[in-house]
Amino acid sequence: MQLSTKHLLGIKNLTQEDISLILSTAQQFKEVLQRPVKKVPSLREVTIVNLFYENSTRTRISFELAEKRLSADIINFTASASSAAKGETLLDTVNNILSMKVDMVVMRHSASGAPHFLAEHIPAAIVNAGDGINEHPTQALLDAFSIQEKTGSLAGRKVALIGDIMHSRVAQSNIYLLKKMGASVVVCGPPTLIPKHIAQALGVDVSYNLKETLEWCDVANVLRIQLERQNQVLFSSLREYNLAYGISRDLLDSLNKDIVIMHPGPINRGVELNSDVADSKQSIILQQVENGVAVRMAVLYLLSGRSVAE
Amino acid sequence: MQVILNNKEVYDKLDQLAAAIGASNLDYSSTVIVGIQQGGAVVSQFLYDRLLKNDKQAGSLKHGKLDITFYRDDVRNKILAPDPMHLPFSIEGKTVILVDDVLFTGRTIKAALDALFDYGRPERVQLCVLVDRKEHRQFPIQPDYTGIAIPSNRSDKLKLLISQDNEPQVVLLNQ
């Protein structure tokens, strides 16, 4: 069993078998993380560089922990504290790092397609840790893992993605993944935050009514309002957003079932999620973070296969 | 594919192994039996069931499965998908009977010992194998309980297979 791809650039080019393999491997790593010694020697002779051209807390720590749990050697690169600030190009930076014999690159970049560009120019395996508004594949994989763990399966599951769909790489990766695994997806948010042709382009249903969406779904994955990616005013105020699209305890209690609440973090409390929802029993937000390490271990492990011929 | 041990012969050897373990005066309350995925787990399951049947004292014996995929020393050549682990008990201070189907170079056992010690510090570890290909050993590893020693060529592939009607046999796979 091997992945059909050498890099993890996005969910778009993964097969159903790839996704199943990553999720089942992650299950075994989750078991490893429950043991007295939470570490395996699998990537002992692998060196990984974490290239972060954009701020990140959760994803960077999660990748770093996953790498350490696999016994890999790691180098952390943060663009703001590096020669990138002196004007070095991405390719030069990476080639300089690779000349020090690095096997894998985990990269986050604010430009969509940056990891795809690198994959064409360097020999190391590349894992996309989020590129602009394109994809965030490991987030979608850990979301899928968490849904599967909580509800038993992905096929036939009704999942709502709520909030800022327009600027969300998490939404795009989630849609690709859920559709491939046989779940149905509704995106819900204000019209200004939902791309106009998303229904035709990605095969999802669109709703502008939060209550109807919540009544339909089994799982609500609530996305963050990305203030840093909005150059124009797309809704009048955060308070108004909260009143129309924020999820409150009262709203959840008015449904005739218990739905699962997810959020990729960081949460804007009182905007997209109220605290009494984020911290409730229905929320699996902290389990998502925990599962993130196991899922990233699986991705790194499966992509570390160095070629047999050499 | 050539059958080396048919299902009757496999069952005979398994019965002998269970009898040998039963006769070794183990304190079952501090003993666990752990099969290495996948063949060893089949053997250990059989031994566990048989020990329970033979001896009421064996009720306190625990059974687990160990997967060594993440501990293999050939990971740089090929990536393998792991099998489930199942060790829902502590092995701290216990006697662990490690079980595999075929003992060959000893590499698998070395990896299994590495994996085992990440679960705790057993008092002692014994090794039980259905088939021993002892002339090909590359590490100082010897079994405590052996079903049968089978002479073989270095390039042979011996495996415990479960047939479609759920019967075990040991086969020589053609190259």
Side-chain angles (χ1 to χ4, degrees), chain A residues 279-292:
Chain A
D279 305 331
S280 72
K281 268 197 214 143
Q282 283 165 264
S283 146
I284 58 167
I285 295 171
L286 292 175
Q287 285 94 311
Q288 286 175 266
V289 178
E290 183 189 346
N291 292 337

Side-chain angles (χ1 to χ4, degrees), chain B residues 28-168:
Chain B
Y28 286 124
S29 64
S30 65
T31 303
V32 302
I33 183 163
V34 175
I36 301 172
Q37 290 278 31
Q38 300 176 347
V42 174
V43 175
S44 67
Q45 182 69 56
F46 179 94
L47 292 176
Y48 176 68
D49 293 342
R50 185 52 53 103
L51 285 166
L52 286 194
K53 206 171 129 192
N54 291 351
D55 187 352
K56 281 202 186 83
Q57 303 289 323
S60 54
L61 182 67
K62 292 195 173 68
H63 176 232
K65 295 172 186 175
L66 187 68
D67 180 71
I68 59 142
T69 309
F70 300 137
Y71 292 84
R72 294 177 66 97
D73 58 6
D74 54 357
V75 68
R76 71 179 75 81
N77 299 330
K78 56 184 173 193
I79 290 296
L80 296 166
D83 287 303
M85 291 263 201
H86 185 66
L87 282 179
F89 45 76
S90 166
I91 60 165
E92 197 77 25
K94 300 279 171 62
T95 295
V96 177
I97 304 177
L98 198 57
V99 181
D100 207 359
D101 52 350
V102 180
L103 176 58
F104 180 35
T105 60
R107 267 172 213 276
T108 300
I109 306 303
K110 192 253 171 202
L113 289 170
D114 289 344
L116 203 57
F117 277 72
D118 282 354
Y119 282 87
R121 183 176 180 276
E123 188 190 67
R124 65 170 167 169
V125 182
Q126 295 188 319
L127 178 59
C128 171
V129 298
L130 177 62
V131 176
D132 187 6
R133 302 173 64 186
K134 56 184 172 189
E135 63 275 28
H136 301 297
R137 203 81 78 249
Q138 294 167 345
F139 292 95
I141 285 169
Q142 305 305 337
D144 298 282
Y145 310 98
T146 308
I148 182 174
I150 297 180
S152 60
N153 293 320
R154 179 80 176 81
S155 60
D156 287 349
K157 287 212 164 94
L158 280 177
K159 260 188 101 77
L160 177 71
L161 279 191
I162 307 300
S163 64
Q164 285 180 343
D165 43 349
N166 215 13
E167 293 293 343

Side-chain angles (χ1 to χ4, degrees), chain A residues 191-227:
Chain A
T192 48
L193 290 177
I194 294 186
K196 212 175 259 172
H197 302 293
I198 191 166
Q200 301 90 303
L202 298 178
V204 296
D205 290 322
V206 177
S207 166
Y208 302 118
N209 184 319
L210 180 63
K211 179 139 204 256
E212 277 175 19
T213 304
L214 293 180
E215 272 166 356
W216 168 82
C217 72
D218 306 314
V219 177
N221 197 347
V222 187
L223 305 172
R224 185 171 64 95
I225 290 301
Q226 304 205 16
L227 300 170

